[in-house]
């Protein structure tokens, strides 16, 4: 009996060790704190072209996931480089950013009290001015900035949002409604809202939900590298919020 109990205990102990080992192996990468990086988002222009830029910097290094994109194309261009008295970022095509931190008065400052970046971009024999404003900061795994919203990677989650954006901006209600998670809450004023329960209802009330002034405001923003708040992704400084299944909230222009 003693031997049996001892064997049973040993087997149970071995089973627990194997189980714990299996759980450890199956823990997803996002559970490891070292995979999470701090990122800072900027918006501005290279010459006259609107861009967005996302940077993860550590001491004198530009970390993986740093990139910029032209709003016209919404395609990430990776950045590598060095940090010294200037920030020097290099893109795969050979273009080079030389930037430094500034405050609201465009006075050179440190990263901690800066409100943006200014400098130049050089490439293809041309040099143009760059001006960027700091817009947000957050921490996440590379490729998973929407982890609080969905288990999809960034490109998968953004794809329907980009399609909604294109459809609503270009006046295609029948296409846009495909990317709405009904019922849709529409906040029309202080403590006032309406609920849209179906695609047909949204199309009938389209101009109330998306008036011309709202659409013009939306055009100033990009459906890419969105900010997350309370388990939703926000576009247009709060004009609209998306959840895992599509558009969930629309806010009237303040």
């Amino acid at each position: 009996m003693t031997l049996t109990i001892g064997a049973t205990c040993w087997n149970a102990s071995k089973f627990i060790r194997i189980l714990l080992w299996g759980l450890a192996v199956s823990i997803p990468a996002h559970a490891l704190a070292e995979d999470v990086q701090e990122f800072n988002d900027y918006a501005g222009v290279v010459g006259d072209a609107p861009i967005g830029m996302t940077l993860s910097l550590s001491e004198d290094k530009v970390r993986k996931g740093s990139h910029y994109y032209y709003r016209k194309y919404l395609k990430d261009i990776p950045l590598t480089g060095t940090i010294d008295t200037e920030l020097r970022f290099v893109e795969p095509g050979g273009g080079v950013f030389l930037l430094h931190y500034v405050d609201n008065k465009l006075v050179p400052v440190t990263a901690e009290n800066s409100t943006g970046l200014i400098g130049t971009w050089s490439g293809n024999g041309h040099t143009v001015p760059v001006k960027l404003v700091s817009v947000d900061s957050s921490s996440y795994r590379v490729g998973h900035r929407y982890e609080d919203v969905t288990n999809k990677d960034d490109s998968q989650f953004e794809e329907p949002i980009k399609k909604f954006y294109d459809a609503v901006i270009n006046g295609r209600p029948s296409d846009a409604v495909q990317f709405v998670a009904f019922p849709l809450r529409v906040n029309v004023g202080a403590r006032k809202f309406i609920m849209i329960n179906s695609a047909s209802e949204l199309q009938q009330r389209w101009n109330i939900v998306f008036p011309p002034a709202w659409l013009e405001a939306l055009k100033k923003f990009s459906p890419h590298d969105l900010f997350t708040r309370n388990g939703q992704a926000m576009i247009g400084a709060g004009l609209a919020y998306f959840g895992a299944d599509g558009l969930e909230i629309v806010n009237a222009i303040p």
Side-chain angles (χ1 to χ4, degrees), residues 59-76:
E59 298 178 352
D60 60 345
K61 297 179 181 179
V62 180
R63 302 183 70 185
K64 181 181 179 181
S66 297
H67 64 271
Y68 83 105
Y69 67 92
Y70 289 92
R71 282 194 56 199
K72 183 177 181 180
Y73 304 110
L74 301 181
K75 182 179 180 180
D76 289 349

Side-chain angles (χ1 to χ4, degrees), residues 164 179-187 193-198 201-202 206 209-210 240-241 246-251:
F164 168 84
F179 310 107
V180 177
F182 295 101
L184 172 67
R185 179 181 174 118
V186 182
N187 295 316
F193 66 91
I194 59 176
M195 299 298 294
I196 305 296
N197 295 298
S198 67
E201 182 181 359
L202 177 55
W206 187 261
V209 179
F210 304 118
Y241 288 82
L247 179 68
E248 295 182 347
I249 298 174
V250 173
N251 288 314

Side-chain angles (χ1 to χ4, degrees), residues 77-91:
I77 302 172
L79 294 172
T80 57
T82 57
I83 304 169
D84 198 351
T85 54
E86 286 186 308
L87 307 180
R88 185 178 187 273
F89 305 139
V90 181
E91 63 182 85

Side-chain angles (χ1 to χ4, degrees), residues 199-216:
S200 59
E201 182 181 359
L202 177 55
Q203 291 187 70
Q204 291 170 6
R205 308 184 75 173
W206 187 261
N207 291 331
I208 295 175
V209 179
F210 304 118
W214 190 95
L215 296 175
E216 286 301 315

Side-chain angles (χ1 to χ4, degrees), residues 78-207:
L79 294 172
T80 57
T82 57
I83 304 169
D84 198 351
T85 54
E86 286 186 308
L87 307 180
R88 185 178 187 273
F89 305 139
V90 181
E91 63 182 85
V96 177
F97 287 92
L98 293 177
L99 306 173
H100 58 269
Y101 292 107
V102 293
D103 61 14
N104 286 327
K105 297 180 181 179
L106 301 184
V107 175
V109 294
T110 64
E112 289 71 25
N113 58 2
S114 70
T115 59
L117 294 161
I118 63 171
T120 61
W121 177 91
S122 300
N124 301 320
H126 301 283
T127 298
V128 295
V130 176
K131 184 176 181 181
L132 300 167
V133 175
S134 177
V135 291
D136 196 35
S137 64
S138 54
S139 297
Y140 50 86
R141 292 187 300 136
V142 174
H144 294 274
R145 70 183 292 148
Y146 305 113
E147 208 154 33
D148 292 341
V149 183
T150 179
N151 58 7
K152 297 177 181 177
D153 65 29
D154 293 351
S155 60
Q156 290 174 324
F157 178 69
E158 284 187 358
E159 182 179 1
I161 296 176
K162 291 174 181 177
K163 290 180 178 178
F164 168 84
Y165 182 94
D166 181 69
V168 74
I169 289 294
N170 291 290
R172 302 197 311 272
S174 59
D175 292 335
V177 296
Q178 299 177 51
F179 310 107
V180 177
F182 295 101
L184 172 67
R185 179 181 174 118
V186 182
N187 295 316
V188 295
R191 299 181 181 179
K192 296 180 179 179
F193 66 91
I194 59 176
M195 299 298 294
I196 305 296
N197 295 298
S198 67
S200 59
E201 182 181 359
L202 177 55
Q203 291 187 70
Q204 291 170 6
R205 308 184 75 173
W206 187 261
N207 291 331

